[in-house]
Amino acid sequence: MGVKRVDEMALDSQGRRILVVNNADDPPFMTLISTKPGNEILVGRITVPGATGGLEQPVWNPSTKRFYISVPELNGDPSRSGVAVFDPKAGVVEKV
């Protein structure tokens, strides 16, 4: 669990999973939750390598079946940013 509140979230197009982002925690992290009754946590405390300035609005891409998450700062350098690619089936951040 985080210390700060959930700030951002995205739902997959099939409505089975929601990705929530605790962007103000240090380090920022995500949690993948089932939308089925009971709301089981499928993958908890997903961190993005190098994310030091929070995480922003995730989006779901039905073509790739991946979540894409804005990373506004990388490795403590505010001039560097990126996009993290999260595979919910494998439960891993594939790349930034």
Side-chain angles (χ1 to χ4, degrees):
M1 298 313 251
V3 176
K4 309 289 183 173
R5 67 180 170 82
V6 167
D7 186 50
E8 315 283 354
M9 59 184 78
L11 180 68
D12 72 25
S13 61
Q14 297 164 332
R16 296 187 313 206
R17 298 166 294 208
I18 188 168
L19 185 70
V20 300
V21 178
N22 287 65
N23 71 325
D25 273 273
D26 188 17
F29 69 95
M30 305 174 291
T31 305
L32 186 64
I33 303 169
S34 170
T35 60
K36 294 179 182 175
N39 301 109
E40 174 186 357
I41 292 177
L42 302 171
V43 184
R45 205 113 165 112
I46 307 155
T47 57
V48 175
T52 51
L55 297 170
E56 293 299 329
Q57 185 62 56
V59 296
W60 171 256
N61 184 317
S63 297
T64 63
K65 297 187 179 359
R66 303 288 191 272
F67 287 99
Y68 293 82
I69 305 93
S70 175
V71 184
E73 180 183 286
L74 288 166
N75 301 313
D77 183 351
S79 70
R80 295 188 63 222
S81 60
V83 174
V85 180
F86 175 68
D87 177 353
K89 188 172 183 179
V92 297
V93 174
E94 295 179 323
K95 60 184 172 181
V96 179

